[in-house]
Amino acid sequence: MDDAFKVTPWDVEGMVDYAKLIEEFGTSPLTDELLEKTARLTTSELPIYFRRRFFFSHRDYDKVLEDYENGKGFFLYTGRGPSGPMHIGHIIPFFATKWLQEKFGVNLYVQITDDEKFLFKERLTFDDTKRWAYDNILDIIAVGFDPDKTFIFQDSEFTKIYEMAIPIAKKINYSMAKAVFGFTEQSKIGMIFYPAIQAAPTFFERKRCLIPAAIDQDPYWRLQRDFAESLGYYKTAAIHSKFVPGLMGLEGKMSASKPETAVYLTDDPEEAGKKIWKYALTGGRATAKEQREKGGEPEKCVVFKWFEIFFEPDDKKLMERYHACKSGELLCGQCKRELIERVQAFLKEHQKKRKEAEKKVEKFKYTGELAREQWEKSIPEPLKG
Amino acid sequence: MDDAFKVTPWDVEGMVDYAKLIEEFGTSPLTDELLEKTARLTTSELPIYFRRRFFFSHRDYDKVLEDYENGKGFFLYTGRGPSGPMHIGHIIPFFATKWLQEKFGVNLYVQITDDEKFLFKERLTFDDTKRWAYDNILDIIAVGFDPDKTFIFQDSEFTKIYEMAIPIAKKINYSMAKAVFGFTEQSKIGMIFYPAIQAAPTFFERKRCLIPAAIDQDPYWRLQRDFAESLGYYKTAAIHSKFVPGLMGLEGKMSASKPETAVYLTDDPEEAGKKIWKYALTGGRATAKEQREKGGEPEKCVVFKWFEIFFEPDDKKLMERYHACKSGELLCGQCKRELIERVQAFLKEHQKKRKEAEKKVEKFKYTGELAREQWEKSIPEPLKG
């Protein structure tokens, strides 16, 4: 735990908002105790996503750790809706997931929802979402998952999932689904069925499922928790992350619908640098003079937030940067240039791995150990309904 | 055409009811002209199902015949919901379908909806409907379809159908589906999605699809006709049959929910005979004396109806039976005994073929020419959405 962060204003401010979400959603805060137990069980230093409370809330993560401790084990499940290119905000939770897989040595299922995105996005064709699926899979593989413990599947290909979704779809009535997804008379019947497809992977193994996801995804899993035990399975567990902000403001999250606010994983590093230079919101003052006098406001600064969430792994250096800004010593231009360097280095490395990923797609989707197991096995017992 | 039947009272009475249905559903009567064209194109005598207007209504059957005439061809699609054993009322339309396949030389797709029955029947497990699927497939194969031109598939196995159903499910909104299926807030989301799965086989080929089905099934296909052309396909065509009555009355149809009114294809012939003897409603008078004087009422008689629909293929003999009954010459006991003989002979023959069918399941489901083609091919072009 890095106590220094708890007293910083942005964290307090952040805490207030996110604490409200914990209350609204009825989730539990990710406590020091749980994080310490995570470190102890993995005999590892926690990654920044945990140290800095990017993941801040959970459901049943305590039980996941107990299951691990007792030798029952657990598995990881996450996903991606392939409606366009992935940006930095999309990939960060995958790095956190990779850490969990590596340290706990567990299986990971990655659902690529080309069906969902086609159904929910009026303008996209099925071909579009299938093409984005391939594209996005490259980015996911580039993160470095274990190819024998990771199964990446596309709903439109791994249609066996339909068979698994049927018993689930007998447990969810329209009224329940509507309450969570806000369906109307105009909603397409494919959209209405989709929650069953989304819940299916939580039953891939007879162990507890842990879903790392942004807090806004929680309601979908609440649905699963309503009926999972009636199918003889566990309620799914989850750890919830905060949002990665876009370049132009700390509010909301990086969004593909506003391309100038996002840095895409396939952006040319040079162009990405220019985008950050041009658009990144800082906590700087009106003039350099004023800033030297009053200091900057890192708690209002996207550049600092990006360092905090992903681009400055060293806690001590992050605090130095914080104080250098506050004291007026470090000006925004310099700080931005340093972020740009980090982002460019990350993009170059990622794009190299992304290229290498082309040769690994087959393994993650079809021929790796876990992939083969999934393609071969039949529907799990209690899902027989 | 057998004009003799047109003037019989039961036919007129039947015509009145069914004509009302034609009007209500907005379908077209199956005219003499269309039946004559069917006979001409197939250079065959029409089977009793057509001659006696068991099939009496249609949508676009005229276009199907035109397509056949012009060399464009067409294909057949029918199905079975495996919720229990099949009875005589279930199998008769399959015999009509077999005639169409044989005479036109076309492909036939038989959808076994183990998903639907599991979803719609609260008390059935998925295992139940999968077991009934196997059982029912034996009865269907026993009808004698061409194993290289017939693909029998179970939704829970041929899950590729999910991929095909997605673009369909983007064309149907909740309000449309509700109007046809009567969904409520309590309907399971699997039920709501099901119309997309049911419509998918109408797109298995880029030809017109002809569905032989009882008239009450028409609304489901109306839904397909609403969006088929927007997917670059044909509106499906259909020919509609009347209902096969149960033993205890001409009203309604033979129903599995009243087992004493139905003769099952797996009934022991001896027991089936007793069931008919005990329960079959006749058009007989209170006493033999009265019947000899006034004659029977074949138009009110289930025994006669069964001869008419299936068990007396010879039109001349059927008319003789009609007049012998009307004149008081043929009494109910004798008539019932003759029906029992026919039913028993049919059951014995069917059960022999059903036994032989066990060895053919694999061919119809997986290894026959059409089956292989379907398992291998990918989603049709325009369904890419």
Side-chain angles (χ1 to χ4, degrees):
Chain A
M1 281 339 83
D2 193 329
D3 281 342
F5 281 112
K6 286 193 170 168
V7 295
T8 56
W10 73 87
D11 212 346
V12 173
E13 194 191 275
M15 282 296 278
V16 173
D17 286 341
Y18 285 112
K20 211 182 277 173
L21 282 179
I22 285 180
E23 211 178 291
E24 260 176 39
F25 286 167
T27 62
S28 308
L30 202 56
T31 59
D32 287 359
E33 196 193 327
L34 282 170
L35 292 183
E36 277 155 21
K37 187 167 177 179
T38 302
R40 182 166 55 76
L41 290 175
T42 59
T43 60
S44 300
E45 195 197 351
L46 293 172
I48 56 171
Y49 324 108
F50 287 147
R51 288 203 311 271
R52 298 181 190 162
R53 306 297 171 102
F54 178 62
F55 283 90
F56 71 105
S57 154
H58 77 99
R59 286 189 193 271
D60 289 350
Y61 182 57
D62 49 339
K63 294 184 183 157
V64 166
L65 295 182
E66 267 170 43
D67 282 0
Y68 180 80
E69 214 171 6
N70 300 335
K72 286 188 196 164
F74 69 93
F75 68 98
L76 290 160
Y77 161 37
T78 187
R80 160 73 190 154
S83 57
M86 288 176 79
H87 55 57
I88 284 181
H90 294 133
I91 208 70
I92 293 175
F94 282 97
F95 280 96
T97 305
K98 177 194 177 314
W99 186 88
L100 290 165
Q101 173 177 65
E102 196 181 301
K103 298 301 177 182
F104 286 103
V106 295
N107 288 339
L108 164 65
Y109 300 91
V110 184
Q111 183 177 41
I112 308 295
T113 61
D114 55 355
D115 51 348
E116 175 207 10
K117 286 300 172 187
F118 165 63
L119 286 164
F120 282 77
K121 300 264 178 186
E122 200 45 62
R123 67 186 169 81
L124 289 181
T125 68
F126 210 177
D127 262 359
D128 288 339
T129 62
K130 286 173 184 175
R131 258 183 287 117
W132 284 121
Y134 177 79
D135 180 273
N136 293 175
I137 286 170
L138 296 181
D139 287 312
I140 293 166
I141 291 175
V143 170
F145 296 106
D146 181 336
D148 282 315
K149 284 187 170 162
T150 305
F151 178 40
I152 301 179
F153 61 99
Q154 244 167 284
D155 289 339
S156 72
E157 279 183 8
F158 190 64
T159 56
K160 183 190 277 187
I161 200 158
Y162 174 68
E163 188 190 7
M164 295 196 58
I166 288 296
I168 298 166
K170 197 178 179 177
K171 292 284 179 187
I172 306 175
N173 66 34
Y174 179 63
S175 147
M176 290 158 68
K178 194 173 67 169
V180 171
F181 286 81
F183 296 132
T184 69
E185 295 284 310
Q186 274 62 55
S187 298
K188 305 299 186 277
I189 61 173
M191 293 161 64
I192 296 170
F193 182 66
Y194 180 71
I197 295 285
Q198 193 181 41
T202 65
F203 304 108
F204 275 9
E205 296 187 14
R206 257 194 167 301
K207 296 174 180 172
R208 211 176 292 273
C209 172
L210 175 63
I211 299 172
I215 182 79
D216 58 339
Q217 305 288 306
D218 181 70
Y220 308 148
W221 310 117
R222 239 183 289 161
L223 206 53
Q224 190 269 9
R225 291 171 59 88
D226 282 345
F227 60 79
E229 289 178 347
S230 76
L231 285 169
Y233 272 75
Y234 293 108
K235 290 180 178 188
T236 192
I239 47 172
H240 306 115
S241 78
K242 298 174 184 170
F243 308 117
V244 178
L247 287 170
M248 292 168 82
L250 287 175
E251 295 78 31
K253 56 179 176 175
M254 198 183 290
S255 168
S257 58
K258 291 168 275 171
E260 70 281 10
T261 75
V263 171
Y264 289 94
L265 300 173
T266 44
D267 275 352
D268 172 76
E270 208 57 44
E271 293 304 313
K274 283 183 194 159
K275 210 191 272 184
I276 296 169
W277 187 256
K278 184 168 171 194
Y279 292 113
L281 175 91
T282 68
R285 305 290 177 175
T287 64
K289 185 170 172 287
E290 192 189 342
Q291 186 155 350
R292 281 200 196 89
E293 285 164 19
K294 300 187 182 169
E297 299 181 285
E299 59 276 22
K300 293 183 179 172
C301 175
V302 167
V303 173
F304 185 79
K305 197 54 150 183
W306 281 33
F307 275 120
E308 182 201 334
I309 292 180
F310 195 66
F311 291 102
E312 178 52 85
D314 185 318
D315 292 348
K316 198 163 151 277
K317 286 187 183 160
L318 186 69
M319 282 316 289
E320 283 168 10
R321 183 177 298 277
Y322 177 77
H323 292 299
C325 171
K326 281 296 240 191
S327 69
E329 210 180 299
L330 176 65
L331 295 192
C332 295
Q334 174 64 14
C335 198
K336 260 193 185 178
R337 271 188 292 274
E338 287 168 12
L339 178 66
I340 287 170
E341 268 171 38
R342 301 279 174 98
V343 171
Q344 288 178 332
F346 167 76
L347 287 179
K348 275 177 199 152
E349 180 65 15
H350 180 82
Q351 288 167 12
K352 205 185 94 202
K353 288 181 180 154
R354 195 179 191 278
K355 185 73 199 154
E356 290 162 10
E358 289 172 13
K359 293 190 294 287
K360 299 179 187 167
V361 173
E362 186 144 321
K363 191 150 191 196
F364 280 95
K365 288 179 82 179
Y366 314 114
T367 63
E369 218 171 280
L370 187 62
R372 260 187 296 116
E373 200 182 298
Q374 287 299 313
W375 281 100
E376 281 158 21
K377 91 174 179 193
S378 65
I379 190 169
E381 278 302 317
L383 283 189
K384 288 181 179 169
Chain B
M1 281 339 85
D2 194 331
D3 281 344
F5 281 111
K6 286 193 171 166
V7 295
T8 55
W10 74 87
D11 212 345
V12 173
E13 195 191 275
M15 282 297 277
V16 173
D17 285 343
Y18 285 112
K20 212 182 276 174
L21 282 180
I22 286 180
E23 210 177 290
E24 259 175 40
F25 286 165
T27 64
S28 307
L30 202 56
T31 58
D32 288 0
E33 197 192 327
L34 282 171
L35 291 183
E36 277 155 20
K37 187 166 178 179
T38 302
R40 182 165 56 75
L41 290 176
T42 59
T43 60
S44 300
E45 195 197 351
L46 293 172
I48 57 172
Y49 325 105
F50 287 147
R51 288 203 311 271
R52 298 181 190 161
R53 305 296 170 101
F54 178 63
F55 282 90
F56 71 105
S57 156
H58 78 100
R59 288 191 192 270
D60 288 351
Y61 182 57
D62 49 339
K63 294 184 183 157
V64 166
L65 295 182
E66 267 170 43
D67 282 359
Y68 180 80
E69 214 171 6
N70 299 335
K72 285 188 197 166
F74 69 94
F75 68 98
L76 290 160
Y77 162 37
T78 186
R80 159 74 190 155
S83 57
M86 288 177 79
H87 56 55
I88 284 181
H90 295 132
I91 208 70
I92 292 174
F94 281 96
F95 279 96
T97 304
K98 176 194 178 314
W99 186 89
L100 290 164
Q101 173 178 63
E102 195 182 303
K103 298 302 177 181
F104 286 105
V106 295
N107 288 339
L108 164 66
Y109 300 92
V110 184
Q111 183 177 41
I112 307 295
T113 61
D114 54 355
D115 52 348
E116 175 207 10
K117 286 301 172 186
F118 165 63
L119 287 164
F120 281 79
K121 301 264 178 187
E122 200 45 61
R123 67 188 167 79
L124 289 181
T125 68
F126 210 178
D127 261 359
D128 288 338
T129 61
K130 286 173 184 176
R131 259 183 285 117
W132 283 121
Y134 178 78
D135 179 274
N136 294 175
I137 285 170
L138 295 181
D139 288 312
I140 293 166
I141 291 175
V143 170
F145 296 105
D146 181 336
D148 283 315
K149 284 187 172 162
T150 305
F151 177 40
I152 302 179
F153 61 99
Q154 244 167 284
D155 289 339
S156 71
E157 279 183 10
F158 190 66
T159 56
K160 183 189 277 187
I161 201 158
Y162 174 68
E163 189 190 5
M164 294 196 59
I166 288 296
I168 298 165
K170 197 177 178 176
K171 292 287 179 187
I172 306 175
N173 66 34
Y174 180 62
S175 146
M176 289 159 69
K178 194 172 67 169
V180 170
F181 285 81
F183 296 130
T184 69
E185 295 284 310
Q186 273 61 56
S187 298
K188 306 298 186 276
I189 61 172
M191 294 161 64
I192 297 170
F193 182 66
Y194 181 70
I197 295 284
Q198 193 181 42
T202 65
F203 304 109
F204 276 8
E205 296 188 14
R206 258 194 168 299
K207 296 174 179 173
R208 211 177 291 272
C209 172
L210 175 63
I211 300 171
I215 182 80
D216 59 339
Q217 305 289 306
D218 181 70
Y220 308 148
W221 310 118
R222 237 183 290 161
L223 206 52
Q224 190 271 8
R225 291 172 59 88
D226 281 347
F227 60 78
E229 289 177 346
S230 76
L231 285 169
Y233 273 74
Y234 292 108
K235 291 180 178 189
T236 192
I239 48 172
H240 306 115
S241 79
K242 297 174 184 171
F243 308 117
V244 178
L247 286 170
M248 292 169 82
L250 287 176
E251 295 77 31
K253 57 178 175 174
M254 198 182 292
S255 167
S257 58
K258 291 168 275 168
E260 69 281 10
T261 75
V263 171
Y264 289 93
L265 299 173
T266 45
D267 275 352
D268 172 77
E270 208 56 44
E271 292 305 312
K274 283 183 194 159
K275 210 191 273 186
I276 296 171
W277 186 255
K278 184 167 172 196
Y279 292 112
L281 175 93
T282 68
R285 304 291 177 175
T287 64
K289 185 170 173 287
E290 192 189 341
Q291 187 157 348
R292 281 201 196 86
E293 284 165 20
K294 299 189 182 166
E297 298 181 286
E299 60 275 21
K300 293 182 178 171
C301 176
V302 166
V303 173
F304 185 79
K305 197 53 150 183
W306 281 32
F307 274 120
E308 182 201 334
I309 292 180
F310 195 66
F311 291 103
E312 179 50 85
D314 185 319
D315 292 348
K316 200 164 151 275
K317 286 186 181 157
L318 186 69
M319 282 316 289
E320 282 167 11
R321 183 176 300 277
Y322 178 76
H323 292 299
C325 171
K326 280 298 240 191
S327 68
E329 207 180 300
L330 177 64
L331 296 191
C332 294
Q334 174 62 14
C335 198
K336 261 192 186 180
R337 271 188 292 274
E338 287 168 13
L339 178 65
I340 288 170
E341 269 170 37
R342 300 281 174 97
V343 172
Q344 289 179 331
F346 167 76
L347 287 179
K348 275 176 199 153
E349 180 65 15
H350 180 81
Q351 288 166 11
K352 205 185 96 203
K353 287 183 181 155
R354 195 178 190 278
K355 186 73 199 153
E356 291 162 10
E358 289 171 13
K359 293 190 294 286
K360 298 179 188 167
V361 172
E362 186 144 321
K363 190 151 192 195
F364 279 96
K365 288 179 81 178
Y366 314 114
T367 63
E369 216 171 279
L370 187 62
R372 258 186 299 116
E373 199 181 298
Q374 286 300 313
W375 281 100
E376 281 158 21
K377 91 173 178 194
S378 66
I379 190 169
E381 278 301 318
L383 283 188
K384 288 181 179 169

